[in-house]
Amino acid sequence: MESIRSKDRAVIEAFAEFDPAKSAGFPPSVPLTIRCVSVFAASDSQTLVYIGTGGGKIILVLLNPSSTLSSAPNPATVNGNGKDSPGSGVDSTEAVEFLKAVSVSNRLIESIHVLSEIGKVLVLSDGFLFLLDLFLAQPVRKLGFIKDVTAVSKRIPCPESSSSDPLGDGVPKGEILRTGQKFFQKLGGGIRANGIGSRISEPHRGGANSCIIAVAAGKRLVLIEFFLPGSGDVDSDSGGVSVLQKEILGIDGVRTMAWLGDSIIVGTSDGYILFSTSAGKSTPIFMLPDSSGPPRLKSLWRSKEVLLLVDNVGVVVDRLGQPVGGSLIFQYIPESIAEMSSYVIVARDGRVDLYRKKTGANVQSLSFAKDGVGSCIVAIDDRGSGEVVVVATPYKALCFCKVSPEEQIKNLLRKKNYKEAICLMEEFESEGEMTKEMLSFVHAQVGFLLLFDLHFEDAVNHFLLSETMQPSEIFPFIMQDPNRWSQLVPRNRYWGLHPPPMPLEQVIDDGLVAIQRSMFLRKAGVDTVADEDFLLNPPSRAELLESAIKNIIRYLCISRDKDLILPVKEGVDTLLMYLYRALNLVGDMEKLASSQNSCVVEELESLLDDSGHLRTLAFLYASKGMCSKALTIWRILARNYSTGLWKDPAASAECDSLDISTDSISGQKSAASEAAKLLQESSDQDLVLEHLGWIADIDQEFAVMVLTSEKRVNQLSPEKVLAAVDPKKVEIQQRYPVRERLQLFLQASDLYDPEEVLDVIEGSELWLEKAILYRKMGQETMVLQILALKLEDCEAAEQYCAEIGRNDAYMQLLDMYLDPLDGKEPMFKAAVRLLHNHGESLDPLQVLEKLSPEMPLQLAADIILRMLRARVHHHRQGQIVHNLSRAIRLDAQLARLEERSRHVQINDESICDSCHARLGTKLFAMYPDDSVVCYKCYRRQGESTSARGRNFKQDTVFKAGWLVSR
């Protein structure tokens, strides 16, 4: 994200300046110095400002910024050093109203804290605490139970805190005593507690009418809860509120403090320390260098964090003392710090700077006094709306109000700082300060400004990022008002930063004039806000117009996918055709016209006719169902082919290399082809016969396609067709009464290639012919799908299954009937017919699995019963065959066992039947034919061939077993 220059930002703007002493009516002989300031947003429009002086006085003024913002929208000026100087032009007569001044003590007021929950103001002066009401109407009450106070901090509740009642463990809820009595209870980590109260009702604690503060006094921290008493509860010592306190001992030298949840972060001269009110333990966060200035910290209510200052570096920590994000590096050591939404405000020596907490960027600097003016204080109600900032020097106060995100962006757009405005939009979106509706609004506004500055691509990019912008807002840039869609264009929806809509040509002309004017001023030494690229390299009108049209086309094409009302859809498509025609994008024109569109024909007829885009007009007529007009144009194009109006833009590059005769033939066929496509679906017999002649003159194949098409609802009358066909065109007459002959030829002849024929008729409705060809190719599934689903010829489908000769073919056919796909309803009757005729050969379990739950069972109950009976019969037959086979196997195993168990007797005279050597004690083997060989000869001959030359694999030895003999 690009950084935003401080001189381009105005996060806050001044609306009032006043002298507190003069406003309070004090004479000049009574000097007043401002030592502290506290701001409280009493309502959305009124803010109370409490000013503490060095003489112990408090001055209360009422601010009303809305009264001056309307009359002085830009009170801040810029001084010579490039910084905002808010001191001039500020009228405070209506914005500032003095209410009251009271004297609290004789010493300076160190700090003022507004306790809005109980309607009180807590003041620290001379080490004591004083309690006042919000409007300083009642007497000042001094809290006498505590003294030597050095710092005060209000508790910021945190949802992650372990204890929601930090004082509940100090004083038992039933042990709160009367005024003057004391109760001590030892706690872990040097914590003790005592209660001060007068008949305090426990239900009043911890609610909306109570607040908790931490007070550093001497060597201890005192946790105090103020809450409004119930009826009859009176505590004169604490100004009409009840008080409960708890002490933490052993803490010394506290100069500043913040309280987050159950963690208190204190700053001493040595460094920053974290104390846990729940565990009673202290943990050092970090120590300050010896050369460092005094500790200073600021509670960040919005993010539940604390900003710890080390000289000019601010470190943000969470309630556990852990750093969060990066550090904030200021340009000087701040004297005062405040938080406003996502910004941190620091002040010193008459200067105020705003830093973004997330990025640490310095977004605005304001200088309102010379160096050496004295201490500078900045204050804001960071617990409320945080819209009013008060900056005070010792003798005057300036009031600023936050500029809304919309106004900040608007100021940048006025200066044509588009990149900075976009970065600011992203910041506000990430911080949650801008709604999606406003974000879309600003994107559209930026888009229009960029459009009038001739940055058409960037403009359309922002239009597309806007979710609320309507495509009709672009219409006036394409077609001059008034027109058919003028009433659809929203009016007065933006900030008035750009001129009213006008045709693109005029936008470009005015933009070029502005560029020429800026170039002239630049040569004269006058600085302008014109685009540097345009000044260095001025664009031509033709280039700009082409860029504008292409990018508007891009926007309208994307807009077509949106959910638009019909009039807007008509405007988008019609004006899109206008823009295509302006750039002569013939291919895009024909694509839009031939697809589903919302073009208004009346707006485009004369335009396309006059410009010679007759093909586009024909496609447009056809898409709107005006076939007669479309066919008339195709007929004209076919006859006037020499004019080139027929040319197909996709093939124009190829046509350039061909001679005129080839071009003529191609053009005629193109027109005839488009006309034939329309006539194939037309049931208007007169219209078909009217245009059949010229189509046949160009290509008889197209004529046959028209006559034999099955796409039309009502077929043509053969008699009228034959009467209308030219007798000389014998081929057409022969091909139109002969489909049956074609089927017979395809079935009987083997002298053609089925795949080539199938390629020829693939896109036609000749389903039976396709089935014949698929059958010749052996594609059984395709044949069954055509016969059963396309033609719904159950008899032919079952006959084909019988020709296949496998039971799985019937199962496949049954599956097609029950689940035909393509959204078609199940064919239950055909399924029942199949089961009736061939159910006995099917597996009942597979059939039951295939049956749909929606199929009425009574339709196939008898058939399924017969199938089950046949299945039982087949099962029993199978059992018999199985048992017989098992008996034969046992017989064979027994015979082998007997053969292997035979005994043979060998003596000294026994010899090998192969080598005739005496066997003696050698290993030997015996073959089934009773021949005996030595082991050496057995290894040589193998087990298949005996010594007598018999091969047992070819000449098997049969021996009757017990099963056969019985």
Side-chain angles (χ1 to χ4, degrees):
M1 184 180 297
E2 296 184 19
S3 61
I4 300 177
R5 296 171 293 173
S6 60
K7 68 177 183 179
D8 293 331
R9 286 289 296 274
V11 181
I12 58 176
E13 60 182 6
F15 67 89
E17 176 183 354
F18 65 96
D19 183 345
K22 185 182 297 184
S23 300
F26 292 106
S29 58
V30 183
L32 292 179
T33 57
I34 302 175
R35 303 305 298 268
C36 63
V37 178
S38 182
V39 179
F40 171 59
S43 65
D44 293 338
S45 60
Q46 294 183 330
T47 302
L48 297 177
V49 180
Y50 302 88
I51 301 174
T53 69
K57 292 181 174 57
I58 292 182
I59 300 174
L60 176 61
V61 298
L62 177 66
L63 300 182
N64 186 6
S66 59
S67 62
T68 58
L69 289 179
S70 59
S71 60
N74 294 305
T77 60
V78 178
N79 58 22
N81 59 5
K83 307 296 183 180
D84 292 346
S85 178
S88 59
V90 177
D91 182 10
S92 59
T93 55
E94 297 181 0
V96 180
E97 178 184 356
F98 169 75
L99 295 182
K100 194 167 185 178
V102 297
S103 179
V104 176
S105 69
N106 295 326
R107 298 296 182 91
L108 65 88
I109 304 296
E110 299 177 36
S111 63
I112 302 173
H113 307 269
V114 178
L115 310 180
S116 57
E117 296 86 350
I118 60 174
K120 299 293 181 180
V121 177
L122 187 68
V123 178
L124 172 60
S125 177
D126 194 24
F128 291 95
L129 295 178
F130 300 86
L131 210 56
L132 301 85
D133 64 287
L134 289 179
F135 292 94
L136 312 184
Q138 300 176 3
V140 178
R141 301 288 183 177
K142 181 179 180 180
L143 303 183
F145 60 85
I146 191 169
K147 61 180 179 179
D148 299 330
V149 177
T150 58
V152 178
S153 177
K154 189 176 179 181
R155 181 175 184 261
I156 302 177
C158 295
E160 301 87 359
S161 301
S162 59
S163 175
S164 60
D165 186 6
L167 275 71
D169 57 354
V171 178
K173 295 186 177 181
E175 301 286 342
I176 301 177
L177 306 180
R178 295 188 180 92
T179 305
Q181 292 183 310
K182 300 233 180 176
F183 174 83
F184 297 95
Q185 178 180 357
K186 262 316 206 184
L187 300 173
I191 300 179
R192 68 171 180 160
N194 65 334
I196 299 179
S198 175
R199 302 183 302 278
I200 299 175
S201 300
E202 186 63 22
H204 297 281
R205 294 191 57 238
N209 295 327
S210 68
C211 66
I212 304 176
I213 64 171
V215 178
K219 296 183 179 181
R220 58 177 178 157
L221 283 181
V222 182
L223 311 183
I224 303 175
E225 181 177 4
F226 296 95
F227 50 95
L228 297 178
S231 59
D233 292 343
V234 178
D235 188 353
S236 60
D237 189 47
S238 53
V241 298
S242 298
V243 179
L244 176 66
Q245 73 177 58
K246 167 181 167 181
E247 297 182 1
I248 304 176
L249 302 179
I251 303 174
D252 191 14
V254 177
R255 305 179 66 176
T256 182
M257 182 167 49
W259 190 357
L260 290 177
D262 51 9
S263 300
I264 298 178
I265 299 176
V266 300
T268 67
S269 58
D270 296 329
Y272 295 99
I273 305 172
L274 183 143
F275 289 91
S276 173
T277 59
S278 59
K281 297 180 180 179
S282 62
T283 305
I285 299 178
F286 58 81
M287 307 305 291
L288 291 174
D290 295 337
S291 60
S292 175
R296 190 183 302 276
L297 56 79
K298 174 63 181 177
S299 301
L300 305 179
W301 283 73
R302 185 182 178 94
S303 57
K304 304 294 188 294
E305 297 165 344
V306 178
L307 176 66
L308 308 180
L309 201 64
V310 184
D311 291 337
N312 67 324
V313 178
V315 180
V316 181
V317 299
D318 59 12
R319 66 182 185 87
L320 301 178
Q322 298 298 321
V324 179
S327 301
L328 300 177
I329 301 177
F330 307 118
Q331 299 180 11
Y332 47 81
I333 301 177
E335 292 180 329
S336 181
I337 308 173
E339 177 194 21
M340 183 184 70
S341 62
S342 58
Y343 303 96
V344 171
I345 308 174
V346 296
R348 183 185 181 91
D349 293 334
R351 177 178 172 182
V352 176
D353 288 273
L354 279 79
Y355 292 83
R356 197 159 191 91
K357 288 190 296 185
K358 186 175 182 180
T359 61
N362 185 353
V363 297
Q364 186 178 10
S365 295
L366 302 104
S367 178
F368 54 89
K370 297 181 179 179
D371 294 341
V373 72
S375 62
C376 191
I377 304 168
V378 58
I380 187 174
D381 184 7
D382 46 13
R383 281 156 274 186
S385 60
E387 298 291 331
V388 175
V389 181
V390 177
V391 181
T393 62
Y395 299 104
K396 70 174 181 178
L398 289 94
C399 305
F400 299 83
C401 64
K402 182 183 177 183
V403 180
S404 66
E406 294 80 7
E407 286 297 328
Q408 294 185 45
I409 295 174
K410 191 186 301 184
N411 291 334
L412 291 174
L413 294 180
R414 287 193 183 100
K415 303 173 186 177
K416 296 186 180 296
N417 294 329
Y418 301 128
K419 292 183 179 179
E420 290 81 356
I422 295 168
C423 291
L424 189 58
M425 288 167 53
E426 295 174 354
E427 288 183 6
F428 287 139
E429 182 185 14
S430 62
E431 295 291 341
E433 297 183 32
M434 180 173 288
T435 63
K436 288 187 177 181
E437 291 75 12
M438 179 53 65
L439 188 66
S440 295
F441 175 89
V442 176
H443 273 301
Q445 174 67 89
V446 174
F448 281 114
L449 288 171
L450 289 169
L451 187 144
F452 279 97
D453 281 354
L454 309 183
H455 296 282
F456 302 110
E457 182 177 359
D458 294 335
V460 169
N461 290 339
H462 281 280
F463 290 156
L464 295 175
L465 291 175
S466 175
E467 297 179 0
T468 57
M469 180 177 171
Q470 296 297 319
S472 56
E473 299 179 50
I474 298 297
F475 293 175
F477 294 94
I478 306 173
M479 181 177 286
Q480 183 77 44
D481 282 336
N483 55 62
R484 178 189 292 264
W485 300 281
S486 296
Q487 299 300 322
L488 299 176
V489 182
R491 306 294 181 183
N492 300 325
R493 295 188 57 231
Y494 296 100
W495 289 331
L497 302 179
H498 63 270
M502 61 186 71
L504 289 174
E505 293 86 348
Q506 187 176 347
V507 171
I508 294 173
D509 292 340
D510 294 348
L512 290 175
V513 171
I515 292 174
Q516 294 295 330
R517 186 185 302 112
S518 298
M519 295 174 63
F520 175 78
L521 293 175
R522 180 67 63 88
K523 291 180 180 179
V526 180
D527 192 16
T528 64
V529 294
D531 187 272
E532 289 292 335
D533 294 336
F534 284 166
L535 294 179
L536 297 176
N537 186 20
S540 67
R541 186 179 189 276
E543 292 175 348
L544 290 173
L545 185 58
E546 182 179 1
S547 174
I549 295 176
K550 284 184 176 179
N551 283 285
I552 296 298
I553 286 175
R554 177 165 63 95
Y555 175 76
L556 293 180
C557 287
I558 296 176
S559 299
R560 295 190 73 205
D561 298 330
K562 297 181 179 179
D563 186 14
L564 306 174
I565 60 175
L566 181 59
V568 177
K569 287 183 178 180
E570 293 177 349
V572 169
D573 285 1
T574 304
L575 297 181
L576 187 58
M577 187 70 76
Y578 266 86
L579 297 178
Y580 283 151
R581 179 251 181 193
L583 295 182
N584 197 30
L585 301 176
V586 180
D588 293 323
M589 294 171 64
E590 295 184 1
K591 182 179 179 181
L592 174 61
S594 59
S595 63
Q596 184 178 0
N597 62 80
S598 300
C599 293
V600 179
V601 178
E602 295 82 1
E603 293 284 338
L604 297 173
E605 276 182 311
S606 59
L607 177 73
L608 297 176
D609 193 4
D610 296 341
S611 62
H613 294 91
L614 296 184
R615 282 177 56 93
T616 302
L617 184 57
F619 285 127
L620 185 61
Y621 281 143
S623 67
K624 300 301 177 181
M626 306 167 70
C627 295
S628 178
K629 290 187 175 182
L631 290 168
T632 301
I633 292 179
W634 291 123
R635 185 171 186 173
I636 293 174
L637 291 174
R639 290 181 177 178
N640 300 328
Y641 53 86
S642 60
T643 62
L645 297 178
W646 48 264
K647 287 186 178 179
D648 185 357
S652 60
E654 300 177 3
C655 292
D656 291 341
S657 61
L658 302 177
D659 56 23
I660 188 63
S661 60
T662 305
D663 288 349
S664 303
I665 296 174
S666 175
Q668 288 179 329
K669 285 194 173 183
S670 176
S673 174
E674 297 297 338
K677 292 178 183 178
L678 294 177
L679 293 177
Q680 286 182 57
E681 299 181 359
S682 176
S683 298
D684 188 342
Q685 183 168 276
D686 295 336
L687 185 64
V688 173
L689 298 180
E690 177 186 353
H691 294 276
L692 183 64
W694 68 269
I695 293 177
D697 292 339
I698 297 174
D699 194 318
Q700 295 188 18
E701 183 67 30
F702 292 154
V704 174
M705 290 173 56
V706 171
L707 295 176
T708 59
S709 173
E710 297 183 4
K711 296 181 180 180
R712 58 176 58 94
V713 178
N714 299 320
Q715 294 299 321
L716 306 177
S717 171
E719 294 80 8
K720 292 186 178 181
V721 170
L722 293 175
V725 173
D726 187 352
K728 296 180 180 180
K729 296 182 173 60
V730 180
E731 183 180 356
I732 297 178
Q733 292 180 341
Q734 289 180 345
R735 294 178 61 184
Y736 177 68
V738 296
R739 184 173 179 183
E740 184 177 353
R741 294 172 59 187
L742 172 63
Q743 295 170 2
L744 293 175
F745 168 75
L746 293 176
Q747 289 177 342
S749 177
D750 293 328
L751 302 179
Y752 64 89
D753 187 346
E755 293 186 3
E756 293 184 4
V757 178
L758 189 62
D759 291 339
V760 174
I761 66 172
E762 185 65 32
S764 68
E765 297 293 325
L766 303 175
W767 293 110
L768 186 55
E769 290 79 358
K770 293 178 183 179
I772 297 172
L773 294 172
Y774 280 125
R775 179 183 176 185
K776 282 185 174 290
M777 296 166 61
Q779 298 189 21
E780 300 170 355
T781 302
M782 295 298 298
V783 177
L784 286 176
Q785 287 180 346
I786 293 175
L787 296 177
L789 304 181
K790 290 294 184 180
L791 301 178
E792 297 186 1
D793 190 343
C794 300
E795 183 177 356
E798 293 176 13
Q799 183 179 354
Y800 182 66
C801 289
E803 294 177 5
I804 295 175
R806 300 191 310 272
N807 291 339
D808 64 311
Y810 292 108
M811 288 300 303
Q812 186 178 9
L813 181 58
L814 178 63
D815 189 34
M816 291 181 184
Y817 285 148
L818 298 178
D819 187 15
L821 302 178
D822 296 333
K824 195 173 182 180
E825 294 295 329
M827 304 169 65
F828 293 132
K829 292 184 178 180
V832 171
R833 170 192 168 94
L834 175 63
L835 294 176
H836 176 75
N837 293 337
H838 307 280
E840 295 181 0
S841 60
L842 301 178
D843 186 350
L845 293 180
Q846 293 184 8
V847 172
L848 291 175
E849 290 176 355
K850 297 288 185 182
L851 290 181
S852 171
E854 302 175 356
M855 181 177 180
L857 189 59
Q858 62 271 16
L859 294 178
D862 296 338
I863 300 173
I864 294 176
L865 181 60
R866 187 166 66 250
M867 290 173 55
L868 293 175
R869 289 174 177 170
R871 178 57 55 181
V872 171
H873 175 68
H874 292 318
H875 175 69
R876 290 174 178 172
Q877 283 183 332
Q879 285 181 325
I880 294 173
V881 173
H882 174 73
N883 290 332
L884 288 175
S885 299
R886 183 179 180 185
I888 294 174
R889 185 171 63 254
L890 288 175
D891 184 33
Q893 291 176 348
L894 179 60
R896 291 182 64 189
L897 181 61
E898 291 177 351
E899 193 67 24
R900 291 178 181 273
S901 302
R902 284 195 302 155
H903 296 279
V904 60
Q905 185 175 0
I906 300 296
N907 53 33
D908 294 338
E909 302 298 326
S910 298
I911 62 174
C912 174
D913 291 341
S914 178
C915 65
H916 304 291
R918 293 184 180 275
L919 294 178
T921 58
K922 298 179 181 179
L923 291 175
F924 65 91
M926 185 174 68
Y927 288 95
D929 60 355
D930 297 333
S931 60
V932 178
V933 295
C934 64
Y935 187 74
K936 182 178 180 181
C937 293
Y938 169 74
R939 290 291 303 273
R940 186 181 71 254
Q941 295 178 182
E943 61 181 8
S944 300
T945 305
S946 69
R948 300 172 182 173
R950 185 170 186 174
N951 191 332
F952 298 109
K953 288 185 177 180
Q954 299 177 357
D955 187 10
T956 307
V957 176
F958 289 97
K959 293 187 177 182
W962 65 272
L963 181 62
V964 178
S965 62
R966 285 163 178 73

